[in-house]
PDB file of all heavy atoms in Angstrom:
ATOM      1  N   ASP Z 159      57.119 217.928 325.477  1.00  0.00           N
ATOM      2  CA  ASP Z 159      56.393 218.273 326.719  1.00  0.00           C
ATOM      3  C   ASP Z 159      55.090 217.492 326.904  1.00  0.00           C
ATOM      4  O   ASP Z 159      54.573 217.369 327.993  1.00  0.00           O
ATOM      5  CB  ASP Z 159      56.137 219.796 326.827  1.00  0.00           C
ATOM      6  CG  ASP Z 159      55.224 220.310 325.732  1.00  0.00           C
ATOM      7  OD1 ASP Z 159      55.096 219.674 324.643  1.00  0.00           O
ATOM      8  OD2 ASP Z 159      54.578 221.404 325.976  1.00  0.00           O
ATOM      9  N   ILE Z 160      54.559 216.908 325.804  1.00  0.00           N
ATOM     10  CA  ILE Z 160      53.353 216.106 325.958  1.00  0.00           C
ATOM     11  C   ILE Z 160      53.686 214.846 326.735  1.00  0.00           C
ATOM     12  O   ILE Z 160      52.861 214.322 327.495  1.00  0.00           O
ATOM     13  CB  ILE Z 160      52.739 215.759 324.616  1.00  0.00           C
ATOM     14  CG1 ILE Z 160      51.303 215.260 324.792  1.00  0.00           C
ATOM     15  CG2 ILE Z 160      53.566 214.750 323.837  1.00  0.00           C
ATOM     16  CD1 ILE Z 160      50.496 215.153 323.513  1.00  0.00           C
ATOM     17  N   LEU Z 161      54.891 214.301 326.612  1.00  0.00           N
ATOM     18  CA  LEU Z 161      55.332 213.150 327.400  1.00  0.00           C
ATOM     19  C   LEU Z 161      55.509 213.502 328.838  1.00  0.00           C
ATOM     20  O   LEU Z 161      55.100 212.745 329.743  1.00  0.00           O
ATOM     21  CB  LEU Z 161      56.691 212.651 326.824  1.00  0.00           C
ATOM     22  CG  LEU Z 161      56.729 212.295 325.350  1.00  0.00           C
ATOM     23  CD1 LEU Z 161      58.119 212.029 324.866  1.00  0.00           C
ATOM     24  CD2 LEU Z 161      55.815 211.067 325.084  1.00  0.00           C
ATOM     25  N   THR Z 162      56.067 214.724 329.135  1.00  0.00           N
ATOM     26  CA  THR Z 162      56.184 215.143 330.480  1.00  0.00           C
ATOM     27  C   THR Z 162      54.829 215.345 331.171  1.00  0.00           C
ATOM     28  O   THR Z 162      54.613 214.923 332.338  1.00  0.00           O
ATOM     29  CB  THR Z 162      56.983 216.471 330.565  1.00  0.00           C
ATOM     30  OG1 THR Z 162      58.239 216.301 329.842  1.00  0.00           O
ATOM     31  CG2 THR Z 162      57.235 216.966 331.934  1.00  0.00           C
ATOM     32  N   TRP Z 163      53.915 215.946 330.422  1.00  0.00           N
ATOM     33  CA  TRP Z 163      52.565 216.099 330.924  1.00  0.00           C
ATOM     34  C   TRP Z 163      51.937 214.799 331.242  1.00  0.00           C
ATOM     35  O   TRP Z 163      51.323 214.597 332.311  1.00  0.00           O
ATOM     36  CB  TRP Z 163      51.735 216.868 329.914  1.00  0.00           C
ATOM     37  CG  TRP Z 163      50.223 216.793 330.150  1.00  0.00           C
ATOM     38  CD1 TRP Z 163      49.495 217.511 331.050  1.00  0.00           C
ATOM     39  CD2 TRP Z 163      49.324 215.819 329.527  1.00  0.00           C
ATOM     40  NE1 TRP Z 163      48.197 217.083 330.958  1.00  0.00           N
ATOM     41  CE2 TRP Z 163      48.060 216.079 330.060  1.00  0.00           C
ATOM     42  CE3 TRP Z 163      49.466 214.927 328.485  1.00  0.00           C
ATOM     43  CZ2 TRP Z 163      46.943 215.392 329.651  1.00  0.00           C
ATOM     44  CZ3 TRP Z 163      48.305 214.170 328.097  1.00  0.00           C
ATOM     45  CH2 TRP Z 163      47.081 214.388 328.664  1.00  0.00           C
ATOM     46  N   TRP Z 164      52.096 213.843 330.348  1.00  0.00           N
ATOM     47  CA  TRP Z 164      51.448 212.522 330.610  1.00  0.00           C
ATOM     48  C   TRP Z 164      51.999 211.869 331.849  1.00  0.00           C
ATOM     49  O   TRP Z 164      51.242 211.332 332.628  1.00  0.00           O
ATOM     50  CB  TRP Z 164      51.683 211.615 329.379  1.00  0.00           C
ATOM     51  CG  TRP Z 164      50.994 210.316 329.498  1.00  0.00           C
ATOM     52  CD1 TRP Z 164      51.551 209.103 329.769  1.00  0.00           C
ATOM     53  CD2 TRP Z 164      49.631 210.047 329.272  1.00  0.00           C
ATOM     54  NE1 TRP Z 164      50.610 208.133 329.795  1.00  0.00           N
ATOM     55  CE2 TRP Z 164      49.398 208.665 329.525  1.00  0.00           C
ATOM     56  CE3 TRP Z 164      48.537 210.814 328.940  1.00  0.00           C
ATOM     57  CZ2 TRP Z 164      48.134 208.038 329.393  1.00  0.00           C
ATOM     58  CZ3 TRP Z 164      47.259 210.243 328.860  1.00  0.00           C
ATOM     59  CH2 TRP Z 164      47.095 208.876 329.094  1.00  0.00           C
ATOM     60  N   GLN Z 165      53.316 211.915 332.055  1.00  0.00           N
ATOM     61  CA  GLN Z 165      53.892 211.303 333.209  1.00  0.00           C
ATOM     62  C   GLN Z 165      53.470 211.994 334.502  1.00  0.00           C
ATOM     63  O   GLN Z 165      53.393 211.357 335.526  1.00  0.00           O
ATOM     64  CB  GLN Z 165      55.440 211.324 333.097  1.00  0.00           C
ATOM     65  CG  GLN Z 165      55.981 210.389 332.014  1.00  0.00           C
ATOM     66  CD  GLN Z 165      55.739 208.887 332.315  1.00  0.00           C
ATOM     67  OE1 GLN Z 165      55.261 208.554 333.368  1.00  0.00           O
ATOM     68  NE2 GLN Z 165      56.193 208.077 331.404  1.00  0.00           N
ATOM     69  N   GLU Z 166      53.241 213.281 334.424  1.00  0.00           N
ATOM     70  CA  GLU Z 166      52.887 214.028 335.602  1.00  0.00           C
ATOM     71  C   GLU Z 166      51.467 213.696 336.121  1.00  0.00           C
ATOM     72  O   GLU Z 166      51.177 213.694 337.294  1.00  0.00           O
ATOM     73  CB  GLU Z 166      53.004 215.505 335.384  1.00  0.00           C
ATOM     74  CG  GLU Z 166      54.420 215.992 335.376  1.00  0.00           C
ATOM     75  CD  GLU Z 166      54.551 217.503 335.048  1.00  0.00           C
ATOM     76  OE1 GLU Z 166      53.456 218.132 334.712  1.00  0.00           O
ATOM     77  OE2 GLU Z 166      55.646 218.039 335.088  1.00  0.00           O
ATOM     78  N   TYR Z 167      50.590 213.413 335.188  1.00  0.00           N
ATOM     79  CA  TYR Z 167      49.140 213.292 335.507  1.00  0.00           C
ATOM     80  C   TYR Z 167      48.573 211.874 335.335  1.00  0.00           C
ATOM     81  O   TYR Z 167      47.483 211.603 335.854  1.00  0.00           O
ATOM     82  CB  TYR Z 167      48.360 214.281 334.748  1.00  0.00           C
ATOM     83  CG  TYR Z 167      48.664 215.723 335.027  1.00  0.00           C
ATOM     84  CD1 TYR Z 167      49.460 216.493 334.210  1.00  0.00           C
ATOM     85  CD2 TYR Z 167      48.202 216.283 336.210  1.00  0.00           C
ATOM     86  CE1 TYR Z 167      49.761 217.792 334.452  1.00  0.00           C
ATOM     87  CE2 TYR Z 167      48.509 217.591 336.560  1.00  0.00           C
ATOM     88  CZ  TYR Z 167      49.293 218.370 335.644  1.00  0.00           C
ATOM     89  OH  TYR Z 167      49.594 219.652 335.980  1.00  0.00           O
ATOM     90  N   MET Z 168      49.251 211.023 334.604  1.00  0.00           N
ATOM     91  CA  MET Z 168      48.690 209.701 334.265  1.00  0.00           C
ATOM     92  C   MET Z 168      49.632 208.568 334.745  1.00  0.00           C
ATOM     93  O   MET Z 168      50.849 208.777 334.900  1.00  0.00           O
ATOM     94  CB  MET Z 168      48.493 209.584 332.756  1.00  0.00           C
ATOM     95  CG  MET Z 168      47.644 210.733 332.178  1.00  0.00           C
ATOM     96  SD  MET Z 168      45.981 210.811 332.863  1.00  0.00           S
ATOM     97  CE  MET Z 168      45.454 212.325 332.134  1.00  0.00           C
ATOM     98  N   VAL Z 169      49.055 207.378 334.908  1.00  0.00           N
ATOM     99  CA  VAL Z 169      49.858 206.255 335.428  1.00  0.00           C
ATOM    100  C   VAL Z 169      50.138 205.275 334.290  1.00  0.00           C
ATOM    101  O   VAL Z 169      51.043 204.463 334.406  1.00  0.00           O
ATOM    102  CB  VAL Z 169      49.161 205.523 336.549  1.00  0.00           C
ATOM    103  CG1 VAL Z 169      49.064 206.409 337.777  1.00  0.00           C
ATOM    104  CG2 VAL Z 169      47.783 204.999 336.153  1.00  0.00           C
ATOM    105  N   LEU Z 170      49.418 205.327 333.223  1.00  0.00           N
ATOM    106  CA  LEU Z 170      49.606 204.380 332.086  1.00  0.00           C
ATOM    107  C   LEU Z 170      50.880 204.792 331.316  1.00  0.00           C
ATOM    108  O   LEU Z 170      51.247 205.937 331.231  1.00  0.00           O
ATOM    109  CB  LEU Z 170      48.430 204.461 331.114  1.00  0.00           C
ATOM    110  CG  LEU Z 170      47.082 203.918 331.674  1.00  0.00           C
ATOM    111  CD1 LEU Z 170      46.000 204.197 330.661  1.00  0.00           C
ATOM    112  CD2 LEU Z 170      47.170 202.479 332.081  1.00  0.00           C
ATOM    113  N   PRO Z 171      51.621 203.819 330.790  1.00  0.00           N
ATOM    114  CA  PRO Z 171      52.844 204.097 330.056  1.00  0.00           C
ATOM    115  C   PRO Z 171      52.543 204.775 328.691  1.00  0.00           C
ATOM    116  O   PRO Z 171      51.468 204.662 328.151  1.00  0.00           O
ATOM    117  CB  PRO Z 171      53.485 202.745 329.861  1.00  0.00           C
ATOM    118  CG  PRO Z 171      52.324 201.742 329.946  1.00  0.00           C
ATOM    119  CD  PRO Z 171      51.343 202.365 330.926  1.00  0.00           C
ATOM    120  N   CYS Z 172      53.549 205.483 328.230  1.00  0.00           N
ATOM    121  CA  CYS Z 172      53.454 206.159 326.950  1.00  0.00           C
ATOM    122  C   CYS Z 172      54.623 205.773 326.057  1.00  0.00           C
ATOM    123  O   CYS Z 172      55.734 205.541 326.540  1.00  0.00           O
ATOM    124  CB  CYS Z 172      53.351 207.692 327.103  1.00  0.00           C
ATOM    125  SG  CYS Z 172      54.725 208.478 327.811  1.00  0.00           S
ATOM    126  N   VAL Z 173      54.382 205.786 324.756  1.00  0.00           N
ATOM    127  CA  VAL Z 173      55.370 205.456 323.745  1.00  0.00           C
ATOM    128  C   VAL Z 173      55.601 206.675 322.886  1.00  0.00           C
ATOM    129  O   VAL Z 173      54.576 207.298 322.405  1.00  0.00           O
ATOM    130  CB  VAL Z 173      54.838 204.265 322.889  1.00  0.00           C
ATOM    131  CG1 VAL Z 173      55.875 203.960 321.775  1.00  0.00           C
ATOM    132  CG2 VAL Z 173      54.553 203.045 323.753  1.00  0.00           C
ATOM    133  N   ALA Z 174      56.793 206.964 322.599  1.00  0.00           N
ATOM    134  CA  ALA Z 174      57.158 208.061 321.603  1.00  0.00           C
ATOM    135  C   ALA Z 174      57.466 207.341 320.307  1.00  0.00           C
ATOM    136  O   ALA Z 174      58.159 206.334 320.235  1.00  0.00           O
ATOM    137  CB  ALA Z 174      58.302 208.824 322.079  1.00  0.00           C
ATOM    138  N   ILE Z 175      56.951 207.937 319.186  1.00  0.00           N
ATOM    139  CA  ILE Z 175      57.228 207.310 317.894  1.00  0.00           C
ATOM    140  C   ILE Z 175      57.420 208.384 316.806  1.00  0.00           C
ATOM    141  O   ILE Z 175      56.982 209.585 317.023  1.00  0.00           O
ATOM    142  CB  ILE Z 175      56.015 206.424 317.468  1.00  0.00           C
ATOM    143  CG1 ILE Z 175      56.295 205.575 316.264  1.00  0.00           C
ATOM    144  CG2 ILE Z 175      54.723 207.242 317.304  1.00  0.00           C
ATOM    145  CD1 ILE Z 175      55.238 204.531 315.987  1.00  0.00           C
ATOM    146  N   GLY Z 176      58.094 208.011 315.779  1.00  0.00           N
ATOM    147  CA  GLY Z 176      58.193 208.900 314.598  1.00  0.00           C
ATOM    148  C   GLY Z 176      59.575 209.506 314.397  1.00  0.00           C
ATOM    149  O   GLY Z 176      59.971 210.471 315.057  1.00  0.00           O
ATOM    150  N   GLY Z 177      60.382 208.923 313.488  1.00  0.00           N
ATOM    151  CA  GLY Z 177      61.696 209.471 313.162  1.00  0.00           C
ATOM    152  C   GLY Z 177      62.687 209.390 314.281  1.00  0.00           C
ATOM    153  O   GLY Z 177      63.677 210.151 314.296  1.00  0.00           O
ATOM    154  N   ILE Z 178      62.539 208.434 315.198  1.00  0.00           N
ATOM    155  CA  ILE Z 178      63.435 208.344 316.329  1.00  0.00           C
ATOM    156  C   ILE Z 178      64.674 207.537 315.957  1.00  0.00           C
ATOM    157  O   ILE Z 178      64.581 206.494 315.311  1.00  0.00           O
ATOM    158  CB  ILE Z 178      62.689 207.693 317.539  1.00  0.00           C
ATOM    159  CG1 ILE Z 178      61.527 208.601 317.933  1.00  0.00           C
ATOM    160  CG2 ILE Z 178      63.616 207.504 318.706  1.00  0.00           C
ATOM    161  CD1 ILE Z 178      60.584 207.953 319.018  1.00  0.00           C
ATOM    162  N   ASN Z 179      65.795 208.044 316.395  1.00  0.00           N
ATOM    163  CA  ASN Z 179      67.106 207.381 316.144  1.00  0.00           C
ATOM    164  C   ASN Z 179      68.010 207.545 317.371  1.00  0.00           C
ATOM    165  O   ASN Z 179      67.593 208.192 318.306  1.00  0.00           O
ATOM    166  CB  ASN Z 179      67.747 207.972 314.913  1.00  0.00           C
ATOM    167  CG  ASN Z 179      67.900 209.450 314.983  1.00  0.00           C
ATOM    168  OD1 ASN Z 179      68.435 209.956 316.011  1.00  0.00           O
ATOM    169  ND2 ASN Z 179      67.604 210.163 313.923  1.00  0.00           N
ATOM    170  N   PRO Z 180      69.145 206.945 317.399  1.00  0.00           N
ATOM    171  CA  PRO Z 180      70.057 207.031 318.558  1.00  0.00           C
ATOM    172  C   PRO Z 180      70.447 208.429 318.861  1.00  0.00           C
ATOM    173  O   PRO Z 180      70.825 208.734 320.029  1.00  0.00           O
ATOM    174  CB  PRO Z 180      71.253 206.130 318.142  1.00  0.00           C
ATOM    175  CG  PRO Z 180      70.706 205.136 317.229  1.00  0.00           C
ATOM    176  CD  PRO Z 180      69.716 205.910 316.381  1.00  0.00           C
ATOM    177  N   GLN Z 181      70.398 209.366 317.922  1.00  0.00           N
ATOM    178  CA  GLN Z 181      70.840 210.716 318.162  1.00  0.00           C
ATOM    179  C   GLN Z 181      69.797 211.552 318.862  1.00  0.00           C
ATOM    180  O   GLN Z 181      70.068 212.539 319.512  1.00  0.00           O
ATOM    181  CB  GLN Z 181      71.184 211.368 316.821  1.00  0.00           C
ATOM    182  CG  GLN Z 181      72.475 210.843 316.198  1.00  0.00           C
ATOM    183  CD  GLN Z 181      72.397 209.449 315.653  1.00  0.00           C
ATOM    184  OE1 GLN Z 181      71.423 209.165 314.904  1.00  0.00           O
ATOM    185  NE2 GLN Z 181      73.359 208.645 315.984  1.00  0.00           N
ATOM    186  N   ASN Z 182      68.509 211.161 318.705  1.00  0.00           N
ATOM    187  CA  ASN Z 182      67.440 212.026 319.254  1.00  0.00           C
ATOM    188  C   ASN Z 182      66.600 211.379 320.310  1.00  0.00           C
ATOM    189  O   ASN Z 182      65.705 211.959 320.925  1.00  0.00           O
ATOM    190  CB  ASN Z 182      66.587 212.603 318.209  1.00  0.00           C
ATOM    191  CG  ASN Z 182      65.795 211.569 317.387  1.00  0.00           C
ATOM    192  OD1 ASN Z 182      65.479 210.472 317.875  1.00  0.00           O
ATOM    193  ND2 ASN Z 182      65.528 211.879 316.141  1.00  0.00           N
ATOM    194  N   CYS Z 183      66.902 210.094 320.641  1.00  0.00           N
ATOM    195  CA  CYS Z 183      65.984 209.345 321.582  1.00  0.00           C
ATOM    196  C   CYS Z 183      66.223 209.792 323.024  1.00  0.00           C
ATOM    197  O   CYS Z 183      65.234 209.673 323.838  1.00  0.00           O
ATOM    198  CB  CYS Z 183      66.223 207.832 321.447  1.00  0.00           C
ATOM    199  SG  CYS Z 183      67.850 207.245 321.979  1.00  0.00           S
ATOM    200  N   ALA Z 184      67.356 210.285 323.371  1.00  0.00           N
ATOM    201  CA  ALA Z 184      67.616 210.564 324.799  1.00  0.00           C
ATOM    202  C   ALA Z 184      66.693 211.664 325.260  1.00  0.00           C
ATOM    203  O   ALA Z 184      66.219 211.641 326.391  1.00  0.00           O
ATOM    204  CB  ALA Z 184      69.081 210.979 325.001  1.00  0.00           C
ATOM    205  N   GLY Z 185      66.448 212.646 324.461  1.00  0.00           N
ATOM    206  CA  GLY Z 185      65.608 213.755 324.866  1.00  0.00           C
ATOM    207  C   GLY Z 185      64.152 213.273 325.134  1.00  0.00           C
ATOM    208  O   GLY Z 185      63.515 213.759 326.085  1.00  0.00           O
ATOM    209  N   LEU Z 186      63.667 212.367 324.332  1.00  0.00           N
ATOM    210  CA  LEU Z 186      62.317 211.883 324.516  1.00  0.00           C
ATOM    211  C   LEU Z 186      62.253 211.027 325.800  1.00  0.00           C
ATOM    212  O   LEU Z 186      61.249 211.108 326.517  1.00  0.00           O
ATOM    213  CB  LEU Z 186      61.917 211.068 323.296  1.00  0.00           C
ATOM    214  CG  LEU Z 186      61.825 211.824 321.995  1.00  0.00           C
ATOM    215  CD1 LEU Z 186      61.503 210.898 320.813  1.00  0.00           C
ATOM    216  CD2 LEU Z 186      60.729 212.933 322.065  1.00  0.00           C
ATOM    217  N   ALA Z 187      63.301 210.266 326.046  1.00  0.00           N
ATOM    218  CA  ALA Z 187      63.321 209.445 327.236  1.00  0.00           C
ATOM    219  C   ALA Z 187      63.321 210.326 328.464  1.00  0.00           C
ATOM    220  O   ALA Z 187      62.613 210.123 329.427  1.00  0.00           O
ATOM    221  CB  ALA Z 187      64.570 208.543 327.238  1.00  0.00           C
ATOM    222  N   LYS Z 188      64.123 211.400 328.470  1.00  0.00           N
ATOM    223  CA  LYS Z 188      64.221 212.294 329.585  1.00  0.00           C
ATOM    224  C   LYS Z 188      62.910 213.084 329.797  1.00  0.00           C
ATOM    225  O   LYS Z 188      62.527 213.437 330.895  1.00  0.00           O
ATOM    226  CB  LYS Z 188      65.398 213.223 329.405  1.00  0.00           C
ATOM    227  CG  LYS Z 188      66.738 212.548 329.574  1.00  0.00           C
ATOM    228  CD  LYS Z 188      67.914 213.490 329.305  1.00  0.00           C
ATOM    229  CE  LYS Z 188      69.253 212.793 329.465  1.00  0.00           C
ATOM    230  NZ  LYS Z 188      70.392 213.657 329.159  1.00  0.00           N
ATOM    231  N   ALA Z 189      62.184 213.328 328.690  1.00  0.00           N
ATOM    232  CA  ALA Z 189      60.935 214.028 328.770  1.00  0.00           C
ATOM    233  C   ALA Z 189      59.817 213.209 329.419  1.00  0.00           C
ATOM    234  O   ALA Z 189      58.882 213.741 329.916  1.00  0.00           O
ATOM    235  CB  ALA Z 189      60.486 214.502 327.403  1.00  0.00           C
ATOM    236  N   GLY Z 190      59.985 211.830 329.342  1.00  0.00           N
ATOM    237  CA  GLY Z 190      58.983 211.037 330.010  1.00  0.00           C
ATOM    238  C   GLY Z 190      58.529 209.797 329.242  1.00  0.00           C
ATOM    239  O   GLY Z 190      57.691 209.038 329.709  1.00  0.00           O
ATOM    240  N   ALA Z 191      59.125 209.563 328.074  1.00  0.00           N
ATOM    241  CA  ALA Z 191      58.693 208.301 327.330  1.00  0.00           C
ATOM    242  C   ALA Z 191      59.110 207.074 328.059  1.00  0.00           C
ATOM    243  O   ALA Z 191      60.214 206.937 328.500  1.00  0.00           O
ATOM    244  CB  ALA Z 191      59.332 208.362 325.936  1.00  0.00           C
ATOM    245  N   ASP Z 192      58.153 206.125 328.188  1.00  0.00           N
ATOM    246  CA  ASP Z 192      58.468 204.839 328.791  1.00  0.00           C
ATOM    247  C   ASP Z 192      59.111 203.940 327.727  1.00  0.00           C
ATOM    248  O   ASP Z 192      59.915 203.054 328.053  1.00  0.00           O
ATOM    249  CB  ASP Z 192      57.231 204.199 329.327  1.00  0.00           C
ATOM    250  CG  ASP Z 192      56.597 204.974 330.459  1.00  0.00           C
ATOM    251  OD1 ASP Z 192      57.221 204.962 331.529  1.00  0.00           O
ATOM    252  OD2 ASP Z 192      55.525 205.593 330.282  1.00  0.00           O
ATOM    253  N   PHE Z 193      58.739 204.154 326.474  1.00  0.00           N
ATOM    254  CA  PHE Z 193      59.267 203.391 325.356  1.00  0.00           C
ATOM    255  C   PHE Z 193      59.487 204.290 324.197  1.00  0.00           C
ATOM    256  O   PHE Z 193      58.754 205.317 324.015  1.00  0.00           O
ATOM    257  CB  PHE Z 193      58.245 202.295 324.940  1.00  0.00           C
ATOM    258  CG  PHE Z 193      57.834 201.365 326.034  1.00  0.00           C
ATOM    259  CD1 PHE Z 193      56.750 201.667 326.806  1.00  0.00           C
ATOM    260  CD2 PHE Z 193      58.599 200.241 326.296  1.00  0.00           C
ATOM    261  CE1 PHE Z 193      56.337 200.801 327.843  1.00  0.00           C
ATOM    262  CE2 PHE Z 193      58.189 199.403 327.353  1.00  0.00           C
ATOM    263  CZ  PHE Z 193      57.081 199.683 328.094  1.00  0.00           C
ATOM    264  N   VAL Z 194      60.442 203.994 323.320  1.00  0.00           N
ATOM    265  CA  VAL Z 194      60.595 204.681 322.045  1.00  0.00           C
ATOM    266  C   VAL Z 194      60.413 203.643 320.959  1.00  0.00           C
ATOM    267  O   VAL Z 194      60.993 202.547 321.003  1.00  0.00           O
ATOM    268  CB  VAL Z 194      61.970 205.358 321.883  1.00  0.00           C
ATOM    269  CG1 VAL Z 194      62.068 206.592 322.791  1.00  0.00           C
ATOM    270  CG2 VAL Z 194      63.116 204.413 322.167  1.00  0.00           C
ATOM    271  N   ALA Z 195      59.488 203.939 320.058  1.00  0.00           N
ATOM    272  CA  ALA Z 195      59.168 203.008 318.993  1.00  0.00           C
ATOM    273  C   ALA Z 195      60.026 203.360 317.745  1.00  0.00           C
ATOM    274  O   ALA Z 195      60.095 204.566 317.371  1.00  0.00           O
ATOM    275  CB  ALA Z 195      57.688 203.103 318.619  1.00  0.00           C
ATOM    276  N   VAL Z 196      60.590 202.370 317.159  1.00  0.00           N
ATOM    277  CA  VAL Z 196      61.585 202.530 316.147  1.00  0.00           C
ATOM    278  C   VAL Z 196      61.341 201.584 314.968  1.00  0.00           C
ATOM    279  O   VAL Z 196      61.056 200.386 315.156  1.00  0.00           O
ATOM    280  CB  VAL Z 196      63.041 202.392 316.627  1.00  0.00           C
ATOM    281  CG1 VAL Z 196      64.032 202.674 315.563  1.00  0.00           C
ATOM    282  CG2 VAL Z 196      63.283 203.329 317.822  1.00  0.00           C
ATOM    283  N   ILE Z 197      61.459 202.128 313.756  1.00  0.00           N
ATOM    284  CA  ILE Z 197      61.439 201.260 312.544  1.00  0.00           C
ATOM    285  C   ILE Z 197      62.720 201.430 311.772  1.00  0.00           C
ATOM    286  O   ILE Z 197      63.632 200.641 311.858  1.00  0.00           O
ATOM    287  CB  ILE Z 197      60.207 201.621 311.635  1.00  0.00           C
ATOM    288  CG1 ILE Z 197      58.873 201.569 312.455  1.00  0.00           C
ATOM    289  CG2 ILE Z 197      60.131 200.593 310.498  1.00  0.00           C
ATOM    290  CD1 ILE Z 197      57.672 202.026 311.681  1.00  0.00           C
ATOM    291  N   THR Z 198      62.812 202.517 311.014  1.00  0.00           N
ATOM    292  CA  THR Z 198      63.880 202.731 310.056  1.00  0.00           C
ATOM    293  C   THR Z 198      65.254 202.706 310.706  1.00  0.00           C
ATOM    294  O   THR Z 198      66.230 202.129 310.166  1.00  0.00           O
ATOM    295  CB  THR Z 198      63.709 204.028 309.271  1.00  0.00           C
ATOM    296  OG1 THR Z 198      62.381 204.022 308.662  1.00  0.00           O
ATOM    297  CG2 THR Z 198      64.739 204.220 308.251  1.00  0.00           C
ATOM    298  N   ALA Z 199      65.381 203.368 311.870  1.00  0.00           N
ATOM    299  CA  ALA Z 199      66.700 203.482 312.492  1.00  0.00           C
ATOM    300  C   ALA Z 199      67.339 202.180 312.858  1.00  0.00           C
ATOM    301  O   ALA Z 199      68.556 202.042 313.017  1.00  0.00           O
ATOM    302  CB  ALA Z 199      66.596 204.387 313.741  1.00  0.00           C
TER     303      ALA Z 199
END
């Protein structure tokens, strides 16, 4: 919901990070992430 809040009130892009993989990235994208940051996956 912090991503949704950011998109509702701010114009700058936001990145979601931390333990993101193909199985869980869709929810973050739908919540409002402009980018998902990925390392291990």
Side-chain angles (χ1 to χ4, degrees):
D159 64 338
I160 197 170
L161 302 170
T162 305
W163 164 79
W164 184 258
Q165 290 293 358
E166 287 178 352
Y167 294 103
M168 307 297 173
V169 296
L170 295 173
C172 63
V173 178
I175 191 170
I178 298 172
N179 57 47
Q181 290 71 48
N182 61 29
C183 66
L186 297 175
K188 290 177 180 177
D192 296 290
F193 305 91
V194 290
V196 181
I197 306 174
T198 304

